[in-house]
Amino acid sequence: MPSVSIKPISVNQAWQGRRFKTPHYKAYEQELLLKLPKSIDIPEGELALLATFGLSNYKASDYDNPIKPFQD
């Protein structure tokens, strides 16, 4: 199973206003794309994605924050 190690960014770091990606988000996307395998054989049928994020403060963290930019 492929694994990519990258520090997640928050939604606030990702967007300027409602529509525009921040330079930080664009750099995050570029780094993530460079770290992904060049090709992945995707099997047929139901699939699952396991995303593991390390958060510095679990009690004050919103789990959607790192998921949204990664998912987009």
Side-chain angles (χ1 to χ4, degrees), residues 17-72:
R18 299 176 118 184
R19 296 188 172 136
F20 303 102
K21 293 178 182 179
T22 63
H24 190 75
Y25 190 8
K26 290 176 184 178
Y28 169 78
E29 283 183 314
Q30 185 67 31
E31 183 179 354
L32 184 60
L33 288 172
L34 290 172
K35 289 185 174 188
L36 287 172
K38 299 297 179 218
S39 66
I40 301 172
D41 293 328
I42 301 174
E44 293 189 24
E46 290 188 25
L47 303 174
L49 171 70
L50 173 63
T52 304
F53 298 100
L55 304 171
S56 60
N57 186 342
Y58 289 100
K59 290 182 181 179
S61 297
D62 178 0
Y63 66 88
D64 283 339
N65 242 348
I67 294 172
K68 183 64 175 153
F70 177 79
Q71 176 180 289
D72 287 345

Side-chain angles (χ1 to χ4, degrees), residues 2-26:
S3 175
V4 176
S5 183
I6 186 172
K7 181 180 178 184
I9 64 172
S10 71
V11 172
N12 292 334
Q13 292 173 313
W15 297 101
Q16 297 173 3
R18 299 176 118 184
R19 296 188 172 136
F20 303 102
K21 293 178 182 179
T22 63
H24 190 75
Y25 190 8
K26 290 176 184 178

